[in-house]
Amino acid sequence: MSSPAATNSGSSTHSKHPYKEPKQIEGLKNFRALLGPDNEKFDDGELMRFLVARSYDLPGAKAQLLASLEWRKANNVDDLPIPGPNNSNGVMYGVRGWHSVPDANIEAGHPNVPEHAMRLQNYMGGSCLHKWDKAGRPIYIERMGQHNVKGLAKHVTTPELVDYHIRCTEFVHNTIMPECEERFGSEDKVIDKETVIFDCTGMGFHQLHMDGLNMLRSLTDMDQKAYPERLGKLFIVNSPYVFVKVYSMIKKWLDPGVIEKIHILGKDYKNILLDHIDPENLPDFLGGECTCSHMPGGCVPSVIMKNIKPVEKAAPANNLLAVPTYLRPRSSSAASASSIMDYVMPGKPKDGIFQMFSAMAHDKECEYEIVVADEDVEHEPEVVIKFRVKGIRAACTGLNFTVARFEFGEKADHGTIVVPTKFYSLSECPESGDGIEVKFRAKAAGLYVLSWKPESQRGLVQMEYGVTVDGILGEGDADSM
């Protein structure tokens, strides 16, 4: 994420693209002053994305920037093997039209292609990073209307989908966008965003699957918090009535700045796309002239549409997630998107408790995910959950918490691991001390869900919350989280 150093704290010069508006120059100057000596780690383009995402709220931009850096460090994002001109790493989806990576489809056996990346291709409608628009931005096309949402939710876990999405995103930002800069950039044109086309052809009510929508929310939450201002435009074409219903839910998850970039189109979309994309760079099924006939699957390969064969399983040696064991707020939780700090664990732990959650409203479940990887369960590690009230932010007539349940991934339909449940009154959750503690043994790999909610009808509460996994993230390693 770090970029070439700026020349000084008052600089307004991106390496190739100086910002000229007075608001931009002043915003960058003040942002660098707020960051202190650390400002030299970032170029203007990177800082500007966080400034714009937070509407020039300097403390908010700083909090989001630092949280994203902590997230990258905790999840080893910068160490991920991505395709590039100087390696043989396999692509995660179809790629067409680039110099830095030859035209290719995702295939088993290619270096550093995880098994879950192969598996999910059988449930996705098809996707491709397909050439560029008139502004020089890379175009990502996804046949959203062809997704087998139920199959995806059943056979691919949220951590696997998140891992796949991170790898794809890092590939675009670190391999493709630098090529766009070299080929199409100029002093007055920075290329750090992508154009996205979602084709809803075939979409129906059968795709209204809550687990699948929760997976989508997990991705949108991550993109907005860790990758702000990377979207140029999103065109949603062939959108049927059912999409209006879906979008009414999705819209609640999105920042206003993201919503402004979304263009929902019906079947009369071709001229609009051609206003932004040259016909030779737009697939013919979207109104352009390109067929990519030299590649299996054409412009957008799709197992479900049967223009390519089902993908084979990759060797299990490549099946490690980018974040094999971690803790985070669950995207399906109604309260989990209240602040940027919900997504990462800021700072060092205090008394073994290192996760802050805020703004827990009445009757809204708060859920956290604990992912335990295959290689971590040989000795059935002990998971210790600790939580305590940090402070009341409004009057409460009475507040109870309950540790509701744990369940894991693909086995959730076949059984639930029940932890003894007890209600704790406010007086039993002190603001200091060891807090409340619950333990269990992780006897299988997968996704565990911790869920609770306050019972008060009034007021908001802050909680400190922590987890240690014996042999994985013990107290001695907690500050790495």
Side-chain angles (χ1 to χ4, degrees):
M1 184 139 178
S2 297
S3 305
T7 56
N8 58 69
S9 60
S11 171
S12 63
T13 305
H14 184 284
S15 55
K16 290 173 59 178
H17 317 279
Y19 290 95
K20 301 177 180 179
E21 297 294 328
K23 181 179 181 180
Q24 295 173 329
I25 296 173
E26 185 70 12
L28 286 168
K29 177 181 177 181
N30 293 336
F31 196 8
R32 290 191 177 279
L34 182 63
L35 290 171
D38 286 343
N39 85 86
E40 296 184 359
K41 298 177 181 178
F42 314 102
D43 70 13
D44 282 357
E46 187 167 10
L47 295 183
M48 183 59 67
R49 286 196 295 273
F50 285 88
L51 275 175
V52 173
R54 301 268 61 86
S55 301
Y56 284 81
D57 171 22
L58 292 173
K62 179 181 178 180
Q64 185 171 0
L65 173 63
L66 297 182
S68 68
L69 292 175
E70 182 67 22
W71 171 81
R72 296 182 70 87
K73 179 181 178 182
N75 296 308
N76 299 314
V77 174
D78 292 325
D79 295 329
L80 287 176
I82 61 173
N86 299 317
N87 62 58
S88 58
N89 293 328
V91 298
M92 296 290 108
Y93 47 30
V95 175
R96 306 286 189 266
W98 301 99
H99 296 160
S100 51
V101 177
D103 289 359
N105 295 335
I106 182 172
E107 294 184 26
H110 285 193
N112 293 307
V113 177
E115 185 275 331
H116 60 270
M118 303 295 301
R119 186 183 346 118
L120 66 83
Q121 302 300 319
N122 294 316
Y123 307 100
M124 290 186 65
S127 58
C128 185
L129 193 69
H130 189 278
K131 301 185 177 180
W132 49 90
D133 65 9
K134 292 181 179 180
R137 294 171 174 170
I139 303 170
Y140 174 76
I141 302 173
E142 188 170 302
R143 295 182 185 266
M144 180 176 282
Q146 301 297 323
H147 288 342
N148 179 352
V149 179
K150 187 175 182 179
L152 184 68
K154 182 178 180 180
H155 296 285
V156 180
T157 67
T158 299
E160 288 173 335
L161 186 62
V162 168
D163 174 84
Y164 172 80
H165 186 72
I166 292 172
R167 292 170 186 260
C168 294
T169 302
E170 291 294 313
F171 164 62
V172 173
H173 294 173
N174 294 298
T175 297
I176 299 302
M177 283 187 182
E179 179 180 332
C180 290
E181 279 275 270
E182 183 178 348
R183 294 173 67 175
F184 311 117
S186 66
E187 181 176 300
D188 296 323
K189 183 169 69 173
V190 56
I191 302 176
D192 60 358
K193 296 175 174 59
E194 64 180 318
T195 294
V196 177
I197 302 175
F198 287 160
D199 182 8
C200 293
T201 300
M203 180 174 286
F205 282 97
H206 64 283
Q207 293 180 313
L208 285 177
H209 189 270
M210 189 52 64
D211 287 345
L213 292 176
N214 287 337
M215 283 180 153
L216 176 61
R217 180 172 183 178
S218 185
L219 301 184
T220 58
D221 284 351
M222 181 182 66
D223 282 346
Q224 291 180 131
K225 293 173 180 179
Y227 300 108
E229 287 299 309
R230 285 296 197 174
L231 175 66
K233 293 183 183 295
L234 168 57
F235 299 100
I236 301 173
V237 304
N238 290 313
S239 54
Y241 172 76
V242 65
F243 181 80
V244 177
K245 293 292 185 182
V246 175
Y247 186 63
S248 66
M249 292 185 287
I250 296 174
K251 192 174 182 180
K252 299 175 182 178
W253 311 337
L254 304 177
D255 291 337
V258 174
I259 294 174
E260 292 177 358
K261 301 174 183 180
I262 298 176
H263 304 269
I264 301 177
L265 311 174
K267 297 187 180 299
D268 188 18
Y269 62 85
K270 295 181 180 179
N271 289 337
I272 296 176
L273 291 185
L274 289 171
D275 284 341
H276 294 85
I277 304 169
D278 291 323
E280 63 268 24
N281 291 339
L282 184 66
D284 59 355
F285 69 87
L286 292 175
E289 299 174 356
C290 186
T291 61
C292 288
S293 58
H294 65 293
M295 290 298 299
C299 293
V300 183
S302 170
V303 172
I304 290 179
M305 297 191 71
K306 299 181 179 180
N307 61 25
I308 56 171
K309 296 179 180 179
V311 294
E312 300 176 3
K313 290 186 178 181
N318 287 330
N319 195 30
L320 296 180
L321 296 181
V323 282
T325 298
Y326 70 91
L327 166 75
R328 69 170 187 185
R330 198 180 194 201
S331 60
S332 60
S333 170
S336 68
S338 61
S339 81
I340 178 61
M341 303 311 290
D342 291 343
Y343 195 80
V344 297
M345 284 142 281
K348 295 185 177 181
K350 182 179 180 180
D351 301 329
I353 297 181
F354 40 80
Q355 174 70 51
M356 175 74 76
F357 181 82
S358 62
M360 288 172 57
H362 168 63
D363 204 32
K364 297 295 185 181
E365 285 192 353
C366 174
E367 297 180 327
Y368 275 75
E369 295 179 346
I370 303 166
V371 173
V372 179
D374 293 339
E375 65 270 23
D376 294 327
V377 298
E378 293 182 2
H379 61 291
E380 297 183 3
E382 182 179 59
V383 180
V384 180
I385 311 294
K386 298 172 70 175
F387 60 95
R388 66 188 175 202
V389 170
K390 176 64 176 176
I392 302 301
R393 290 171 50 177
C396 291
T397 57
L399 187 62
N400 290 329
F401 296 95
T402 175
V403 179
R405 67 181 182 182
F406 290 90
E407 60 185 13
F408 53 91
E410 297 176 356
K411 296 184 179 180
D413 294 336
H414 305 291
T416 299
I417 299 176
V418 179
V419 174
T421 298
K422 176 182 178 182
F423 287 88
Y424 299 98
S425 67
L426 181 60
S427 61
E428 292 179 295
C429 294
E431 291 193 11
S432 61
D434 294 334
I436 307 300
E437 184 173 282
V438 175
K439 301 179 181 179
F440 74 99
R441 288 281 179 180
K443 297 183 178 181
L447 172 66
Y448 295 81
V449 178
L450 169 66
S451 173
W452 70 85
K453 66 179 179 181
E455 290 197 334
S456 171
Q457 295 186 12
R458 293 188 295 159
L460 302 175
V461 64
Q462 287 185 333
M463 282 187 61
E464 286 184 335
Y465 169 89
V467 64
T468 56
V469 184
D470 179 45
I472 306 169
L473 296 172
E475 293 186 0
D477 300 316
D479 59 356
S480 68
M481 298 183 68

